[in-house]
Amino acid sequence: MLVLPLLETGQAESLGTELLEMLLKMAPSREEEIKLKEYREDAVSKLGPAESFLKAVLAIPFAFKRVEAMLYITNFDLEVDYLKTSYKTLEVVIFTTSPA
């Protein structure tokens, strides 16, 4: 699976929740991001696989903001269902304990 094209085009469903969460955990600190972006193209072969991948991800504008948005999109329906269930539970508790 090619992650970078899916990330660039915003195909959240194709990436899935687990992969998106893992990508967020991989997000470099600001200092690490600067160092990776400044790394010369002729020396990229000296980077390890993880660093090379992060450098490629950082080439995508707002890559980790995209990941956050895509994760929100993939979890949205589950969150709405959870809130509906919680609201129904709250209604039951309020109406069964309120004085008549």
Side-chain angles (χ1 to χ4, degrees):
M1 174 179 24
L2 300 172
V3 173
L4 296 176
L6 296 174
L7 185 57
E8 283 181 304
T9 56
Q11 297 180 30
E13 302 82 23
S14 299
L15 290 170
T17 303
E18 286 183 35
L19 183 58
L20 291 169
E21 288 174 348
M22 192 175 2
L23 284 170
L24 274 183
K25 290 178 184 176
M26 291 177 60
S29 67
R30 185 69 185 140
E31 182 180 306
E32 292 168 331
E33 184 178 335
I34 291 169
K35 286 181 181 180
L36 280 170
K37 284 183 176 180
E38 290 176 349
Y39 215 82
R40 295 187 329 264
E41 289 301 318
D42 60 330
V44 170
S45 62
K46 295 179 183 176
L47 290 174
E51 290 82 9
S52 295
F53 176 73
L54 275 178
K55 182 161 178 58
V57 170
L58 291 173
I60 300 170
F62 307 104
F64 290 99
K65 292 292 181 189
R66 286 179 189 228
V67 172
E68 287 176 5
M70 291 166 70
L71 187 58
Y72 180 81
I73 290 167
T74 59
N75 287 331
F76 184 78
D77 290 336
L78 290 172
E79 291 292 326
V80 168
D81 290 342
Y82 174 77
L83 289 173
K84 285 180 180 178
T85 303
S86 297
Y87 182 72
K88 287 178 184 175
T89 303
L90 189 59
E91 280 183 322
V92 169
V93 169
I94 289 173
F95 289 122
T96 57
T97 59
S98 64

